[in-house]
Each structure stands twice: as structure tokens, then as C-alpha cells.
Amino acid sequence: MYRSAESTATLTQMDAPNGTLRLRGDSPMSELRCNGYAVVHGAIPPDRAARYVNEIYRWLESVGKGFKADDRDTWHVQCMPRFQKGGLYKRYGVAHEQFAWDIRTEPAVIDAFAQIWGTDELLVSFDAINASFPFPSDELGQAAKPWPHVDQSPTRSSMHCIQGIINLLENGPDDGGLMVLEGSMSLFAEFFRAHPQLRPEEGWPEIDWYSHSDDTLQWFYERGCKWKKIEAGPGDLILWDSRMIHYGDAAKGDRPRVATYVCYKPAKTITSEKLEAKKECFRERWGTSHDPLNFRISRPNAGDYTLEPKESVYPRRGPTLSERALKLAGIVEY
């Protein structure tokens, strides 16, 4: 854990729906501001990280597709619940499993985001988990390919959102995980100014997403940007700016990757409409995208989310939440 150095902190202005937020700078935050990413070591103690891994394994087994954590012969795609990319799980009510909420209320994790935003009155995303196993290469197919993107609309050029990953297992160069294109954050606005031909006739969409192709990535390579794999230990918190080009790599070695996604922003900046939508998501146990305020909803039978036979849309049991967790969910006011 780290604390804000008030006497030496620099303040950086960023966009917010209902005002101006400020980033407090000390060593990890300065790294985030300058490089676009940072790793906060030991945000969760190793023993609790190990417990969360076991709970995620039990969740994977509970779906009943045949996966057994202690039997590598079951480490196959067909033995897993439905996932995206190398191991991104959004379905089966997983965003509201008890372990997901326990991780979201880890004190040092909340503290890191409180220091980013200068307040501990935060809302949290109802985001996904990741369990990427070293599946045989012929099983993942397209899901194993890089998917470089940014999670910020071209209509917003200032710092708008900081995303997070709670890493739960030792994560080395071949274990899958976050890949970032170093140097791309500072070029975010310049790229879109330099490529007006990419702008749709109706204008850039407000949705916080832009997918990069090999052709558009070349522009960044020519300016010295290089890919870097972010390595982390059990319980480390990985932070990155949504303007950073990134993707989640598939596991290629012999160890799995297990992690959860977390993202917090100030509660006072959410609109009344989005707050009501957030409460509905909680009641229905729906997931959301990374931004706790300007989120997209992952609901059953909407878009490409078509239920499989016997697929449950609810967690195994409803989570029991503390008052702090209920405030993070937007159910109880600060």
C-alpha cells in the first residue's frame, strides 16, 4: 500500500461528467501518469490471493462442464463455461459471486483508487474475471490472437478512466495477461487528429472502445511504441490508463492465469439515469463494462449474449455485502 505525498504531489486535471477530478501524484501514481500503467505490489496478501484462486476454480467446476482444477486432462475449452478471448468470463452471474465482491472490497485495492481520484466515496464496476489456461493451440483458434484496443472514445482526449486487474497467481512472460503498447497513451489524441479519414460520417461514437488494426498500429510503431508484457505476482494490482493500447494475451506456457477486473470512480460524478441502471444491474445480477459510471450492460439474451441450455444467469448464491460494498455498488448513498 502507498500513501499520497501531499507536500510533493502534482495535480493533473481530467474530464468528468459533472466536474473536474484531480490525480494526486506520488511514486506509483507518477508512473501511471507518465507511462500509462503501474503495478501496486501486494495489494492483497498472498494467502488471500490463493484463497480467491481456489474459489474461482470451484466456480469453474460448479458449472458442470467437466473442468477439474487438479486434473490437467480436463484443461480443455469444451470443459469450461463459455468464455471470450483466452479466458474472459462474463456470464453465469460471475460478476456477483461472493468472491468477486470480496475482492472488490479489499482495503488496499480501494485505497489505490481513492488516491487516484482524491476521494474514497467510489463506485465500482460489475466486471468480469479471467481464468486463462494453457489450452492446446488448436482449441482457441481466433481467441488466441491479439485484440489491441483502447477503452476510451476518441471524443475524450483527457484522462477519463483508470482500469485495474487484481492478479491472483504468479504471472510471468508466458502465462497470459496484460500486454500494453508503451508510449501509445501520450499519442492517443494525436492519432485521431492525424487520421480524420477513420472518423465515421456520423462522427466518433461515444462508446468507450476503439479497436486497432495492423495498419493503424504501424503508425505507433513508427513513433517508437513497443509492446510490453506486464508481469505481476499474486495479489498485485495492475493499473492502466484507458487511452493505452492494450489487450489480454492468452496463456502460452504451462501455468494458468487467474485474475479479476476492478475499476472505481467517484460516486458523485454518476448521472441519475446511470445510477438507476446500476441499481437494476445489481438487482438482476447483470455485469457491466469496466467504467463504473459510463458503463455498458452485459445482460442475457442481448446482443451476442445468447443463453445456452441450462445456463444460469445468477450466481450460485446471492452475495452477502457489507455497507461498504453496498455503497460501492450504488445501492446505499454515501
Side-chain angles (χ1 to χ4, degrees), residues 42-301:
I44 295 178
D47 61 329
R48 288 212 293 274
R51 176 167 62 84
Y52 291 138
V53 170
N54 287 332
E55 291 179 10
I56 289 173
Y57 284 166
R58 300 292 85 76
W59 176 80
L60 290 168
E61 293 171 346
S62 73
V63 175
K65 291 290 189 73
F67 168 76
K68 298 293 181 185
D70 58 358
D71 182 358
R72 293 183 73 97
D73 288 340
T74 68
W75 291 14
H76 292 278
V77 170
Q78 68 269 22
C79 296
M80 298 289 178
R82 179 71 67 87
F83 62 85
Q84 296 175 312
K85 305 302 178 183
L88 184 62
Y89 293 89
K90 297 182 177 181
R91 302 164 65 139
Y92 306 90
V94 69
H96 297 281
E97 285 286 341
Q98 186 67 55
F99 63 77
W101 274 106
D102 289 344
I103 292 171
R104 291 179 189 127
T105 52
E106 283 282 348
V109 176
I110 298 172
D111 182 65
F113 283 90
Q115 292 183 52
I116 291 172
W117 298 110
T119 178
D120 61 2
E121 295 187 354
L122 302 166
L123 295 176
V124 71
S125 59
F126 306 154
D127 216 329
I129 71 166
N130 194 299
S132 296
F133 287 80
F135 299 119
S137 57
D138 60 336
E139 291 187 4
L140 279 178
Q142 289 291 115
K145 292 187 175 182
W147 44 300
H149 64 280
V150 293
D151 288 302
Q152 186 155 320
S153 167
T155 62
R156 286 182 272 273
S157 61
S158 299
M159 180 176 164
H160 179 69
C161 189
I162 299 297
Q163 298 171 245
I165 289 172
I166 294 293
N167 188 64
L168 296 172
L169 284 178
E170 190 67 36
N171 188 254
D174 299 321
D175 299 329
L178 183 65
M179 297 287 297
V180 299
L181 188 60
E182 288 194 295
S184 63
M185 182 195 71
S186 62
L187 295 170
F188 177 86
E190 182 181 343
F191 169 78
F192 291 108
R193 286 195 301 266
H195 296 82
Q197 73 278 10
L198 299 177
R199 182 178 180 270
E201 288 186 6
E202 64 275 14
W204 292 115
E206 290 286 331
I207 187 172
D208 284 313
W209 170 272
Y210 184 83
S211 181
H212 280 279
S213 66
D214 290 341
D215 289 340
T216 59
L217 288 175
Q218 188 60 39
W219 184 88
F220 290 91
Y221 299 152
E222 291 169 356
R223 285 152 181 79
C225 298
K226 296 181 180 179
W227 286 106
K228 178 176 181 177
K229 168 66 166 59
I230 306 300
E231 299 178 21
D236 288 352
L237 168 63
I238 304 171
L239 301 167
W240 76 98
D241 190 300
S242 291
R243 295 170 294 178
M244 173 79 72
I245 299 175
H246 64 282
Y247 68 91
D249 200 16
K252 299 181 178 69
D254 59 2
R255 300 185 302 190
R257 172 204 182 197
V258 181
T260 67
Y261 300 92
V262 291
C263 187
Y264 307 71
K265 291 177 79 173
K268 68 180 181 181
T269 57
I270 196 170
T271 65
S272 58
E273 293 80 8
K274 277 295 188 181
L275 181 58
E276 289 306 310
K278 194 172 188 72
K279 291 178 179 178
E280 182 182 17
C281 287
F282 181 80
R283 289 193 301 268
E284 300 296 334
R285 303 299 193 249
W286 295 336
T288 68
S289 57
H290 65 279
D291 192 318
L293 311 183
N294 187 33
F295 52 86
R296 302 184 301 279
I297 301 172
S298 178
R299 63 164 62 90
N301 294 321

